Amino acid sequence: MLRVSGPLDFVAVREEFDVPQGFPADVLAEADRVAANPPLPDHDATDLPLVTLDPPGARDLDQAVHLARTDSGYRVSYAIADVGAFVPLGSALDAEARRRGQTVYCPDGRTPLHPPQLSEGAASLLPGQLRPAALWTIDLDADGEVTAVDLRRARVRSRAQLDYESVGEQLPVELELLPEIGRLLQARARDRGAIELGTPSQEVEPGPDGGWTVVFRGQSDVEGWNAQISLLTGRCAARLMLDGGVGILRTLPPPDPGAVAALRRLAPGLGVAWPDGATPGEVVATLDPARPRHAAFLDAATSLLRGAGYTAFDGEPPAQPGHGGVGGPYAHVTAPLRRLVDRFGTEVCLALAAGAQPSAELRAALPELTDLMAASDRRTHAVERAVVDLVEATLLADRVGEVFDAVVLDADDDRATVVLVDLAVQGRADGRFEAGEVARVRVEVADPATRTVRFGDAR
C-alpha cells in the first residue's frame, strides 16, 4: 500500500475553512460547572443492559441500545445522550455549539461540538457510568413495523463499550437480535422505496510510521444493521413532530423522474438488471460496489439523492416532509454530542411525548437551525474533501508520468471520473472513456500545494 511518509499539514486545512479550535474560557467554565453536577432524571432505567457500538477508540458515545424479543415482535430500547440537560438554551455552551454546528473529524484528531469534559466525559454514555439519557422504547411487530413508541428522560448505565472491529461477525449476547431486527428494517426500507447506496467512502488512514494513505471503506453488515436502529428512531421522531405540529425534519426530495429514467437507460450498458416494477432502491440493493460496472452505476445513482436539507415547521406541516433516501419522514435526533440539530429535535420530541408543547424559546430556535446546519455541513464536507485531496496529491506527487489501471465511474465527451484500481485515489481524467470500463490512465498532475490530481488517457 502506497503511503505518505511523515506529517501532513491538516492544521492548515482547518484554518483555511475557519474550523473553530479552542473553546472560549466562559464556555469551558460553564462545562466544568455542569459536568461536576450532572442532572439526573427521576426515572430509573439502569436495569436495562444497554451497550454502545461505535468505531474503535470513540469517546463521544451518543447512543446505547438494548434489543429484546416480545410476544408479538421486538422491543428496541435506545438511549440517547441527554445533551439538552447539560446545555441550556441561551447559555454560553449553547451559543458556542450554534457557532460550530457539528464535530469536525480530521485524520489527526477531532474538533468537537462541545467541550471534551462533556462530549467525552459527563454527557457521553461511557460504560459503567450513571448518565442522563433520552430513552426511546420502540415496539415492533414480527415484520418490523412500529406498533408503539415511548420517550422519556431516564437515568441509564451502559454495560459495555463495543466497537465494530471487535464485534465482527461474532455478535455478543447483548446484540444477538441485531441481525434479525436489522434485516427486517432493511426489508421494510426497500418496501418504502428507500434508496441506500452503500458505496464505499474515501477515508484517510494513518500508518504505523506516522504516515498516511487513502482507503475505500465500505459499511460492514453490523454497521448497516446498527444504522437501521438509528434510522428507525429518526422516523419515530419525525412522526412525533408531524403529529405534534412542530419540529425540524431532515428532508430530501423524492428522486426526479427524469433522473430515474436516465439511470434506467444506463443500466443495460453497465450490466445492471432492472426488472419491471422494481424501485431504484430495490435495484441498488442487489449491486456489489467491488464490481467496476456496478460501482459506476452506484456513482450515477447519487443523482437521485440531491437536495438534502433541514425543514423547520410550526403549525402547518411542510409540503414535502419526506426523505427520499429513507423512504419517508425522518429527523436527526440520535447524535446530539456530535450534531447541533439533534439536541433541539430531541427536546421537541421529549415535550411532545409528555403531552406538552415545546417552549417558545425552543420553537423560536428551530428556523435558525436550517441555515446553521447548512453552513456547518458545507464546511464539514469542504474539510473532508480537502483532507482527502491533500493526501491523494501527496501520494502521487512523485509518480507523475506513471500509468495505472483505473475504473471509469462516469464519462462525457472528453472527460471522466476515474478511481485507481490499486489505490483509493479518485480524480478527473482527460480523454474519451466509457462508464464502467477498466482503463489505463497516466498521472498528469499531482500537486499537493493546490491539492490537485489529474489523469490522462494512457491506452
Side-chain angles (χ1 to χ4, degrees), residues 165-187:
E165 288 187 10
S166 63
V167 166
E169 295 303 315
Q170 188 61 45
L171 291 170
V173 63
E174 296 93 342
L175 296 176
E176 62 184 3
L177 288 176
L178 185 60
E180 190 173 334
I181 295 174
R183 290 190 182 104
L184 276 176
L185 293 174
Q186 287 170 335

Side-chain angles (χ1 to χ4, degrees), residues 12 49 117 125 133 136 145 160 162 190 243 308 346 385 412 420:
Q117 54 264 58
L125 301 182
W136 292 84
E145 297 287 0
L162 307 176
R190 289 193 292 272
D243 289 346
T346 295
R385 186 66 258 167
D412 53 29
L420 303 188

Side-chain angles (χ1 to χ4, degrees), residues 187-428:
R188 299 292 75 77
R190 289 193 292 272
D191 292 345
R192 296 193 306 272
I195 302 174
E196 299 174 346
L197 295 181
T199 48
S201 59
Q202 278 182 296
E203 295 186 3
V204 173
E205 183 179 271
D209 59 352
W212 306 96
T213 193
V214 181
V215 298
F216 276 116
R217 185 179 180 279
Q219 189 181 67
S220 68
D221 287 341
V222 172
E223 289 175 274
W225 299 327
N226 193 45
Q228 289 298 322
I229 304 299
S230 180
L231 291 169
L232 167 69
T233 307
R235 291 192 295 112
C236 291
R239 188 71 269 155
L240 258 177
M241 293 175 184
L242 289 168
D243 289 346
V246 61
I248 183 164
L249 305 176
R250 181 61 168 169
T251 52
L252 178 71
D256 178 75
V260 175
L263 189 66
R264 185 161 194 157
R265 289 193 297 271
L266 183 65
L270 294 176
V272 172
W274 194 318
D276 289 342
T279 66
E282 289 170 333
V283 174
V284 163
T286 68
L287 304 184
D288 178 3
R291 296 174 59 182
R293 302 212 298 174
H294 285 188
F297 184 88
L298 289 168
D299 185 74
T302 59
S303 64
L304 306 182
L305 301 177
R306 291 177 178 163
Y310 292 92
T311 302
F313 64 101
D314 195 342
E316 190 71 22
Q320 200 295 100
H323 189 291
V326 177
Y330 172 63
H332 276 160
V333 293
T334 63
L337 287 173
R338 292 170 279 175
R339 194 170 47 208
L340 174 69
V341 69
D342 298 51
R343 166 164 58 97
F344 291 83
T346 295
E347 290 299 319
V348 169
C349 287
L350 282 165
L352 295 174
Q357 285 294 309
S359 69
E361 188 179 10
L362 178 59
R363 300 170 93 109
L366 299 181
E368 300 174 13
L369 292 173
T370 58
D371 289 340
L372 290 174
M373 290 307 302
S376 175
D377 282 343
R378 285 194 298 270
R379 179 170 59 194
T380 299
H381 296 156
V383 169
E384 292 172 349
R385 186 66 258 167
V387 163
V388 172
D389 288 346
L390 173 61
V391 178
E392 288 181 326
T394 308
L395 281 171
L396 295 177
D398 296 330
R399 312 292 290 270
V400 173
E402 293 190 28
V403 175
F404 295 87
D405 288 331
V407 175
V408 180
L409 297 181
D410 67 61
D412 53 29
D413 290 341
D414 55 5
R415 295 188 70 190
T417 302
V418 302
V419 59
L420 303 188
V421 171
D422 295 325
L423 297 172
V425 174
Q426 182 172 312
R428 298 297 295 178

